[in-house]
């Protein structure tokens, strides 16, 4: 399916070449022992213009934090005089970067950052951005690499995800040694050839992209599939040379990895402007494709066969896909007493970047290992690492699957610390932290916290915003009784939640507050099979709560609206393209006890028609791209036609099967089973 380097020595040489460029001083003396510098445990892959901008934003924020820390904040006064936008203000507040504190806890995890775009000028765009002009960031942040793929295609994907996907397939099928860009084979060995082996220590990979575009939406899932293909292939790889003693020192031991797409969905309900229909259709295609792949991987029992060919045909691009709506910026601006029509597009994008950066930061800190930090960090910050509860890659692998939404809020440290007096232990007023309010703000509509400069709220609304506001108002009015919320499918059908609590190093969360938080989660998510908690200490100066809501977001209004928009436009027969009969039929397909597949067959064509979103002749475009494939990949056996990557009616059916599965999710409460009969009443 994809090119993978099979020569172990070449893979190791490529990893060493990348390591040498990432860590110019490679060997470190630690306690008298010389050892190779390890790769960071986390990698961010930003694809397309939107994805690469956000990944670049995260990298620059982390770099700025480390610069402040390592230089003892000598540049702080100068930086304060410069005009700053909200993300920088948020991170400075969150990282306690001010002179009033002698011990400054700082987030020092520096992920590897890979930026890719089907644009020959990606390097120029990044170099002449604000981050490139105003600092030495681009020269100094060695952990950021640009994937220059312009020799395959230099003109973007024309807002057509199927073209972005096809071009990505060309890139990933071409022998890496035949690229003129020498760095590509190093990046390819890191991302794909070596994922999951001990020689490559990265265990978490986040693919950041916009669902509505062509490049990011099309490339991201193909890159994810190539990585998963290489990873899964290792489980079946029993070549005797792997057992060769000469390779034992390289530790080709198989390890679990966790991959996630971070998917930016377009506005749907902005009444001020009509969004481009193509953005909705493109997003719907991505969501439909992902659900069908996730159904095959996780639920489809018809092909339940453990042999290699069966498993390799049922891979999906990521373990989970986090959904973040572009409407976040609109809600945040509306609740910030602003006039939405006066805000420019760049400011809107920065708000999205900030929200996503916050979520990535919290997930990274929850799983960070000590090797991710500066070796003197814990000693200088006075943090007891033994108090943390960490999530490793395997925890995330087991806890997060399918579509995921994020709920987030943060609070400053209360001026009066929690009392440890035994007599006052149960007095809620003494804790200083309003855990009820913190939890409510995390599930509220997106809004600015003016105290912490954070964007809080839920990343994808369960239902239409007006109805959700009313349900939230009732929730608060009734003393946080979730009776009006817990019946929404977003909460009722959630299979698992992962909560990450981040605390300053000197703040002790009382067990009463923790129990109160668990009570809120239990009440709002009545059918969760699995609840996981992580406690991060010393990563920020604020108290923050991140809750990852698993699988049920696919039943939200926005998610269903996008999928149906794609099916109607690119699959539906003429009779069903313009009225609401297909909309109603989709709801019936999900709700009814039996899935009437024959009815669906009568409404849809066999394959998607990409021409429906392109204002040009699709049949003239198709041979142009297929000729490029033949020219770049000479092996006739590897040729793939664009027709072969079209989504089929079966893909739609599998997506519906997935939605039906989540719609019916419920659990039975544990009941005590006893061999001892009930106690006899006293005579």
């Amino acid at each position: 399916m994809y090119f993978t380097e099979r020569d172990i020595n070449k893979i190791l040489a490529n990893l060493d070449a990348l390591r040498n460029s990432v860590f110019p001083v490679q060997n470190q003396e630690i306690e008298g022992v010389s050892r190779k510098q390890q790769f960071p445990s986390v990698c961010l892959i930003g694809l397309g213009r939107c994805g690469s901008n956000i990944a670049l934003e995260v990298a620059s924020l982390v770099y700025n934090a480390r610069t402040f820390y390592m230089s003892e904040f000598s540049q702080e006064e100068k930086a304060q005089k410069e005009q700053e936008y909200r993300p920088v203000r948020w991170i400075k507040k969150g990282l306690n970067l001010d002179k009033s504190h002698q011990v400054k806890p700082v987030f020092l995890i520096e992920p590897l950052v890979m930026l890719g775009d089907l644009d020959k000028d990606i390097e120029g765009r990044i170099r002449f951005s604000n981050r490139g002009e105003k600092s030495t960031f681009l020269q100094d942040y060695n952990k950021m690499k640009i994937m220059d793929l312009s020799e395959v295609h230099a003109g973007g994907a024309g807002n057509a995800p199927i073209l972005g996907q096809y071009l990505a397939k060309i890139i990933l099928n071409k022998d890496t040694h035949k690229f003129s860009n020498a760095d590509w084979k190093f990046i390819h060995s890191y991302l794909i050839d070596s994922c999951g082996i001990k020689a490559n220590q990265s265990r978490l990979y986040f693919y950041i992209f916009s669902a509505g575009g062509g490049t990011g939406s099309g490339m991201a899932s193909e890159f994810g599939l190539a990585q998963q293909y290489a990873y899964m292939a290792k489980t079946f790889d029993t070549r005797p040379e792997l057992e060769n003693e000469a390779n034992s020192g390289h530790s080709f031991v198989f390890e679990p990895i966790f991959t996630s797409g971070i998917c930016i969905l377009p506005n749907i309900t902005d009444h001020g402007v009509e969004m481009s229909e193509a953005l909705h259709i493109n997003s719907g295609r991505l969501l439909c494709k992902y659900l069908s792949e996730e159904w095959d991987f996780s639920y489809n029992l018809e092909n339940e066969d453990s042999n290699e060919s069966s498993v390799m045909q049922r891979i999906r691009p990521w373990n989970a896909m986090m959904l973040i709506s572009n409407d976040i910026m609109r809600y945040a601006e509306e609740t910030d007493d602003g006039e939405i029509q006066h805000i420019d597009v760049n400011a809107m994008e920065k708000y999205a970047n900030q929200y996503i950066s916050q979520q990535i930061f919290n997930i990274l800190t929850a799983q960070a290992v000590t090797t991710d930090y500066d070796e003197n960090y814990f000693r200088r910050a006075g943090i007891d690492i033994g108090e943390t509860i960490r999530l490793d890659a395997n925890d995330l692998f087991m806890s997060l699957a399918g579509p995921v939404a994020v709920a987030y809020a943060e609070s400053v440290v209360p001026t009066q610390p929690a009392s440890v007096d035994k007599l006052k232990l149960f007095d809620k007023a003494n804790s200083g932290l309003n855990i009820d309010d913190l939890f409510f703000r995390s599930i509220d509509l997106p809004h600015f916290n003016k105290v912490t400069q954070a964007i809080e709220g839920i990343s994808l609304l369960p239902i239409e915003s007006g109805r959700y506001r009313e349900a939230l108002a009732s929730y608060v009015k009734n003393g946080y009784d979730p009776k009006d919320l817990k019946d929404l499918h977003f909460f009722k059908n959630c299979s698992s939640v992962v909560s990450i609590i981040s605390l300053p190093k000197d703040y002790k969360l009382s067990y009463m507050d923790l129990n109160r938080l668990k009570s809120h989660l239990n009440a709002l998510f009545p059918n969760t099979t699995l609840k996981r908690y992580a406690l991060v200490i010393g990563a920020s100066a604020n108290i923050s709560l991140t809750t990852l809501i698993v699988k049920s977001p696919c039943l939200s209004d926005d998610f269903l609206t996008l999928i149906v928009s794609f099916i109607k436009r690119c699959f539906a027969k003429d009779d069903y393209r313009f009225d609401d009969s297909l909309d109603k039929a989709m709801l019936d397909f999900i709700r009814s006890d039996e899935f009437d597949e024959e009815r669906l067959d009568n409404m849809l064509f066999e394959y998607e028609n990409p021409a429906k979103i392109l204002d040009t002749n699709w049949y003239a475009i198709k041979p142009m791209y297929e000729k490029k494939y033949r020219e770049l990949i000479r092996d006739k056996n590897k040729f793939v036609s664009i027709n072969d990557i079209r989504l089929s009616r079966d893909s739609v059916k599998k997506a519906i099967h997935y939605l039906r599965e989540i719609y019916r999710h419920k659990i039975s409460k544990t009941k005590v089973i006893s061999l001892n009969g009930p106690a006899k009443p006293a005579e």
Side-chain angles (χ1 to χ4, degrees):
M1 290 176 68
Y2 302 96
F3 171 80
T4 52
E5 180 59 68
R6 306 289 287 174
D7 188 324
I8 292 172
N9 292 322
K10 284 184 180 178
I11 294 173
L12 292 173
N14 289 341
L15 288 178
D16 284 340
L18 182 65
R19 188 182 283 108
N20 287 333
S21 67
V22 169
F23 306 103
V25 181
Q26 183 167 356
N27 291 324
Q28 290 189 341
E29 289 283 340
I30 298 177
E31 297 178 357
V33 179
S34 178
R35 68 178 179 88
K36 255 182 197 177
Q37 180 68 51
Q38 292 190 337
F39 285 114
S41 62
V42 178
C43 176
L44 308 182
I45 304 108
L47 296 172
R49 189 189 68 83
C50 177
S52 57
N53 282 350
I54 292 169
L56 180 64
E57 185 80 31
V58 177
S60 65
L61 295 181
V62 175
Y63 171 79
N64 288 338
R66 186 177 179 85
T67 301
F68 273 111
Y69 175 73
M70 300 305 288
S71 65
E72 297 296 335
F73 314 105
S74 61
Q75 301 177 26
E76 187 175 351
E77 287 185 3
K78 179 182 176 183
Q80 284 179 342
K81 293 176 184 177
E82 295 176 359
Q83 185 178 7
E84 296 169 347
Y85 51 86
R86 277 182 164 125
V88 174
R89 291 211 299 273
W90 170 78
I91 199 168
K92 286 186 179 178
K93 281 179 173 287
L95 300 177
N96 217 356
L97 303 178
D98 60 71
K99 288 187 174 181
S100 62
H101 295 78
Q102 291 184 347
V103 179
K104 301 177 174 65
V106 176
F107 178 86
L108 289 180
I109 300 170
E110 291 186 284
L112 269 180
V113 178
M114 305 290 180
L115 309 179
D117 196 1
L118 294 173
D119 180 356
K120 66 188 299 182
D121 198 32
I122 179 175
E123 189 165 358
R125 173 167 60 83
I126 290 169
R127 193 166 301 284
F128 292 105
S129 67
N130 286 338
R131 287 168 289 276
E133 291 174 347
K134 295 181 180 178
S135 71
T136 59
F137 161 64
L138 290 177
Q139 290 75 34
D140 294 346
Y141 196 76
N142 296 315
K143 293 184 180 69
M144 188 182 77
K145 302 296 175 186
I146 295 174
M147 296 186 281
D148 185 352
L149 307 170
S150 58
E151 65 188 85
V152 171
H153 190 75
N159 202 40
I162 194 168
L163 295 182
Q165 183 186 346
Y166 192 66
L167 290 165
K169 195 171 278 290
I170 296 175
I171 291 163
L172 295 164
N173 271 290
K174 186 180 177 184
D175 189 324
T176 56
H177 296 279
K178 295 180 180 176
F179 276 77
S180 59
N181 178 7
D183 288 343
W184 172 240
K185 63 176 177 287
F186 308 144
I187 294 171
H188 189 278
S189 279
Y190 167 77
L191 278 181
I192 293 168
D193 302 329
S194 67
C195 62
I197 64 174
K198 203 167 182 180
N200 175 358
Q201 298 81 23
S202 296
R203 293 291 172 260
L204 272 76
Y205 298 87
F206 292 91
Y207 291 78
I208 308 168
F209 57 93
S210 168
T215 300
S217 182
M219 284 179 68
S221 65
E222 202 67 26
F223 269 68
L225 283 170
Q227 186 181 51
Q228 287 291 310
Y229 182 81
Y231 178 74
M232 295 297 292
K234 293 182 182 70
T235 64
F236 296 101
D237 196 345
T238 55
R239 290 177 299 159
E241 58 263 36
L242 286 178
E243 299 170 8
N244 191 327
E245 202 143 320
N247 292 319
S248 61
H250 297 304
S251 300
F252 266 71
V253 179
F254 198 57
E255 299 281 354
I257 65 170
F258 174 78
T259 67
S260 176
I262 297 181
C263 172
I264 318 302
L265 299 178
N267 296 12
I268 295 178
T269 56
D270 188 348
H271 302 296
V273 62
E274 186 66 30
M275 293 299 295
S276 165
E277 188 192 12
L279 298 180
H280 298 160
I281 295 166
N282 291 349
S283 301
R285 182 183 191 273
L286 176 91
L287 300 180
C288 183
K289 180 175 183 290
Y290 179 68
L291 286 196
S292 67
E293 291 162 336
E294 186 63 34
W295 167 258
D296 265 345
F297 185 87
S298 297
Y299 292 110
N300 191 353
L301 302 181
E302 291 180 7
N303 301 319
E304 194 175 23
D305 193 340
S306 60
N307 65 55
E308 180 175 357
S309 61
S310 172
V311 172
M312 297 304 287
Q313 292 298 322
R314 293 189 288 127
I315 55 175
R316 79 294 198 223
W318 314 287
N319 300 87
M321 181 166 68
M322 296 182 193
L323 305 168
I324 297 178
S325 171
N326 242 341
D327 279 330
I328 281 172
M329 290 76 72
R330 184 168 63 86
Y331 297 128
E333 191 63 23
E334 284 176 352
T335 54
D336 197 37
D337 303 322
E339 291 292 333
I340 190 69
Q341 64 265 31
H342 298 312
I343 186 167
D344 69 84
V345 67
N346 290 325
M348 296 277 277
E349 189 170 278
K350 284 174 182 174
Y351 297 161
N353 292 0
Q354 176 184 338
Y355 185 86
I356 295 159
S357 301
Q358 291 168 185
Q359 310 323 321
I360 293 173
F361 268 57
N362 282 283
I363 294 167
L364 301 198
T365 51
Q367 66 77 48
V369 292
T370 53
T371 53
D372 285 326
Y373 288 87
D374 178 83
E375 60 181 296
N376 296 316
Y377 170 61
F378 294 103
R379 178 177 56 80
R380 293 176 68 177
I383 295 168
D384 181 1
I385 191 69
E387 294 181 349
T388 62
I389 302 172
R390 201 171 68 83
L391 293 173
D392 60 25
N394 209 33
D395 289 320
L396 295 172
F397 181 90
M398 296 298 183
S399 306
L400 300 179
V404 174
V406 182
Y408 179 78
E410 64 179 55
S411 293
V412 296
V413 178
T415 52
Q416 296 295 324
S419 173
V420 294
D421 189 325
K422 290 183 180 179
L423 295 176
K424 298 180 180 179
L425 194 60
F426 294 95
D427 184 357
K428 197 175 96 176
N430 274 314
S431 75
L433 174 66
N434 188 339
I435 200 76
D436 298 336
D437 180 61
L438 181 69
F439 182 78
F440 169 74
R441 284 187 280 114
S442 75
I443 62 169
D444 195 5
L445 277 81
H447 57 276
F448 280 115
N449 183 325
K450 295 181 181 179
V451 178
T452 65
Q453 295 296 312
I455 300 175
E456 301 177 331
I458 202 154
S459 66
L460 183 70
L461 296 191
I463 51 175
E464 188 273 326
S465 59
R467 290 176 59 201
Y468 191 52
R469 276 197 179 95
E470 292 176 6
L472 288 170
S474 175
Y475 177 62
V476 175
K477 183 180 178 181
N478 294 324
Y480 304 102
D481 181 349
K483 64 180 182 179
D484 294 321
L485 288 177
K486 67 180 182 180
D487 286 335
L488 298 178
H489 295 296
F490 190 88
F491 300 114
K492 181 176 70 174
N493 300 93
C494 174
S495 63
S496 65
V497 292
V498 176
S499 285
I500 301 166
I501 304 159
S502 182
L503 302 174
K505 75 178 187 70
D506 294 324
Y507 184 80
K508 302 293 184 184
L509 186 72
S510 75
Y511 80 87
M512 291 298 291
D513 280 338
L514 184 58
N515 284 344
R516 184 75 179 158
L517 174 60
K518 289 181 177 179
S519 295
H520 283 309
L521 289 169
N522 288 332
L524 189 58
F525 300 96
N527 289 309
T528 48
T529 309
L530 183 67
K531 292 186 179 73
R532 297 301 304 271
Y533 301 93
L535 185 64
V536 182
I537 297 174
S540 77
N542 294 328
I543 301 162
S544 71
L545 171 66
T546 300
T547 303
L548 304 174
I549 301 159
V550 182
K551 292 185 180 175
S552 57
C554 68
L555 301 177
S556 68
D557 290 3
D558 283 8
F559 197 103
L560 292 177
T561 300
L562 291 171
I563 278 194
V564 174
S565 71
F566 162 67
I567 295 171
K568 283 180 71 171
R569 184 69 168 177
C570 296
F571 271 102
K573 295 177 181 177
D574 285 344
D575 293 346
Y576 303 105
R577 282 180 57 200
F578 302 107
D579 62 21
D580 62 356
S581 55
L582 183 56
D583 304 20
K584 294 175 181 176
M586 281 292 292
L587 297 179
D588 289 340
F589 294 147
I590 296 169
R591 288 173 175 157
S592 59
D593 292 335
E594 297 293 331
F595 178 16
D596 187 351
E597 296 191 23
E598 187 177 338
R599 183 183 175 197
L600 183 70
D601 290 340
N602 293 331
M603 303 177 91
L604 306 183
F605 288 110
E606 176 106 19
Y607 293 99
E608 68 168 315
N609 183 356
K612 296 296 184 182
I613 60 167
L614 298 173
D615 193 18
T616 186
N617 187 340
W618 166 252
Y619 299 100
I621 292 174
K622 178 177 167 291
M624 292 164 48
Y625 283 82
E626 291 181 345
K627 179 174 173 58
K628 179 173 287 192
Y629 197 115
R630 288 189 173 95
E631 288 177 344
L632 293 171
I633 302 169
R634 296 292 183 178
D635 186 347
K636 293 182 180 179
N637 295 325
K638 286 191 171 183
F639 176 73
V640 176
S641 167
I642 291 185
N643 284 338
D644 296 336
I645 66 170
R646 287 179 300 169
L647 297 190
S648 68
R649 195 162 55 206
D650 277 346
S651 303
V652 176
K653 289 178 182 177
K654 290 173 182 177
I656 293 172
H657 277 298
Y658 187 91
L659 293 168
R660 288 173 58 84
E661 182 74 23
I662 307 307
Y663 182 78
R664 284 159 178 76
H665 171 78
K666 59 183 177 181
I667 60 171
S668 57
K669 302 296 182 183
T670 304
K671 297 178 181 178
V672 175
I673 300 172
S674 175
L675 288 170
N676 301 295
K680 294 180 180 179
E683 294 181 359

